[in-house]
Amino acid sequence: MLFKEGFTAANQNSAPINLKMLIILIDLPGFILVYRNFHRIIDFRKSKRFLTVLVTCLSLILLAAIEVRSYYYEWSLVHLVQSKYNGEKPIVERYGTVANNVLGIYLNRNEKVIIDKLKYGEVQAGKASMKDNPNFIFIQVEAMDSNVINKKYKGSYITPFLNSLKDSSVYYPYVLSEHMGGGTSDIEFSVINSIEPLEGYSAQKLSNYNYPNSFIKVLRKNNYSAIGFHGNKGSFFNRNISFPKMGFERLIDMDDMGFKDVGWGAPDRDVLNYAFDHMTKMSRPFISYIITMTSHGPFTNAGKYYDNKIFDGVENVNIKNYFNSMSYVDKVLEDFVTRVRTKYKNTYIFIYGDHTPSIRDKEYMQASFDYDNKYFEFIPLFILTPDNRKYIENSRAVSMLDFSPTSLKASGVEYKIKSDGVNLLEFKKDWRGIKFKDMTYNRQFLYEKIEGIK
């Protein structure tokens, strides 16, 4: 299902590269030896046919015995298949990627089976509370994790504008990222639909799913216009199909904007400028959902049109490029936000990352940890409100499932959705826990856990 995305990502060298990848060559000497002596191996097999059959049978008996024992301890392939959507890691570790992919094809043969695995929260509803409904702008920033906001280099912040927003917005430093089987596309899936994506499958590639819990659909029924903007091709993760299904009038991608790849995708400044200009053509109130590309790994895009010399002293080239990318993103966001707040006073702006940048080094440590056999990664969230509300959360993590109830309540329209999220503009003490991969986690616990890893 992800062949096209994987091929494109490989073509753009977007996978983090390190020396551990040389493990793929471990079988090469054996392969060469077998290749050069293959005729001798064939002759040996013919002369030892009985021994070959015996070894094969003994191997199968041993495998069956191991599986029977594993079944007794509830760790067999049968049990792992039953819990596949809680994570593929155990299957890959015990049986390999080929077995995991074969199981994936078998389990995913019926889309209804997959759709039924999507878990909705409890019903939340609100009554109409205002006539002058506000606009909403969502800016989903590629690879912006929580720690980069406060990171300094040579005494200066990497992202000075975003760091300054902490004191002039509603700021949540740690949002649990729903980054699973659909890669970055899982972020808008969970934000818009207030449900967790699928662990082993790209939810936005479900051809028979109609997004019944999309908050965009609710707002569209209340006279909102809604457009998505992306600095990549819309066919990536089927966004050109899934966005209209979620209620958007359309997704305007890089090709629609008339931009070409500069690295991978269009520069964020061009995309944000296009989105700003297009807002003047949209009826009021409007929703603009913007997905950026410049800061995508391996973080070489920005270097083609932006070079902050202050980072020349960074030893790790990957980190240097990441800092340069985030510095560029910070500057274009400052310009965009200033223009929006000048022209559109009655507007909520959500600025947040999608996932961590896959960097763990002495010069930069991303905001993530492994716990409970799960991977937790955190991104920041800034909410700029029409009334210039200010708040800094200093004890609780939040969830991407919180975006939907927050937006609907702020819109002032009548609504009903299913969500386990909370309203992030009501700073209550008794928020429910965060549901993540069939478990519920205390918000204070997650905050303290990730805060302690800095």
Side-chain angles (χ1 to χ4, degrees), residues 145-333:
D145 87 317
S146 293
N147 288 346
V148 76
I149 304 303
N150 296 305
K151 179 66 177 178
K152 286 184 176 181
Y153 181 72
K154 290 186 176 180
S156 299
Y157 288 109
I158 306 295
T159 58
F161 169 67
L162 290 172
N163 184 270
S164 71
L165 283 187
K166 295 191 305 183
D167 300 319
S168 58
S169 69
V170 175
Y171 172 55
Y172 288 96
Y174 301 118
V175 183
L176 180 61
S177 172
E178 299 283 354
H179 188 213
M180 301 189 199
T184 298
S185 70
D186 283 342
I187 309 310
E188 64 257 28
F189 179 86
S190 57
V191 165
I192 294 169
N193 301 284
S194 199
I195 52 179
E196 284 191 73
L198 297 163
E199 177 71 15
Y201 201 83
S202 174
Q204 288 201 76
K205 288 203 163 191
L206 293 168
S207 58
N208 296 310
Y209 186 60
N210 291 314
Y211 307 92
N213 208 50
S214 167
F215 83 84
I216 301 296
K217 285 187 173 182
V218 177
L219 293 180
R220 285 293 307 282
K221 289 179 181 178
N222 287 272
N223 300 316
Y224 271 82
S225 60
I227 300 289
F229 302 90
H230 191 15
N232 198 356
K233 295 183 182 294
S235 59
F236 212 72
F237 287 112
N238 280 7
R239 287 185 174 104
N240 56 338
I241 297 172
S242 61
F243 265 63
K245 281 188 172 184
M246 285 190 280
F248 290 89
E249 293 157 59
R250 62 180 298 205
L251 173 74
I252 299 178
D253 70 356
M254 177 179 69
D255 292 339
D256 296 326
M257 298 177 199
F259 301 144
K260 302 295 183 182
D261 275 317
V262 183
W264 188 11
D268 289 354
R269 183 179 296 280
D270 294 345
V271 174
L272 290 169
N273 285 343
Y274 185 98
F276 182 85
D277 293 340
H278 193 84
M279 290 174 201
T280 62
K281 306 172 186 177
M282 299 172 68
S283 58
R284 306 289 183 272
F286 65 77
I287 308 160
S288 290
Y289 198 106
I290 306 169
I291 305 172
T292 72
M293 274 296 290
T294 289
S295 47
H296 199 290
F299 318 117
T300 55
N301 295 332
K304 301 180 186 305
Y305 39 83
Y306 176 82
D307 183 18
N308 191 332
K309 296 295 185 182
I310 194 174
F311 303 124
D312 285 351
V314 178
E315 294 180 11
N316 186 307
V317 175
N318 195 44
I319 297 175
K320 172 188 173 182
N321 291 338
Y322 180 62
F323 287 174
N324 188 64
S325 298
M326 294 312 304
S327 174
Y328 167 83
V329 169
D330 187 70
K331 290 181 183 299
V332 299
L333 283 176

Side-chain angles (χ1 to χ4, degrees), residues 34 47 55 57 67 70 102 115 169 174 177 181 201 203 210 251 259 275 282 297 307 335 351 354 368 401 417 420 435:
V34 169
S47 65
V55 170
C57 291
E67 279 300 289
S70 297
V102 170
I115 292 172
S169 69
Y174 301 118
S177 172
Y201 201 83
N210 291 314
L251 173 74
F259 301 144
M282 299 172 68
D307 183 18
D335 178 61
I351 303 174
D354 55 4
S368 66
L401 275 59
I417 58 160
D420 286 319
K435 290 193 175 181

Side-chain angles (χ1 to χ4, degrees), residues 390-432:
K390 299 176 181 63
Y391 175 79
I392 297 178
E393 179 58 56
N394 57 18
S395 65
R396 297 172 295 185
V398 298
S399 165
M400 289 184 164
L401 275 59
D402 300 329
F403 286 48
S404 177
T406 302
S407 303
L408 287 172
K409 184 65 176 179
S411 71
V413 306
E414 183 177 354
Y415 67 90
K416 180 186 289 186
I417 58 160
K418 295 178 180 178
S419 176
D420 286 319
V422 301
N423 181 1
L424 297 177
L425 295 176
E426 292 179 352
F427 316 116
K428 296 181 178 180
K429 295 182 179 180
D430 57 346
W431 282 349
R432 72 189 81 191

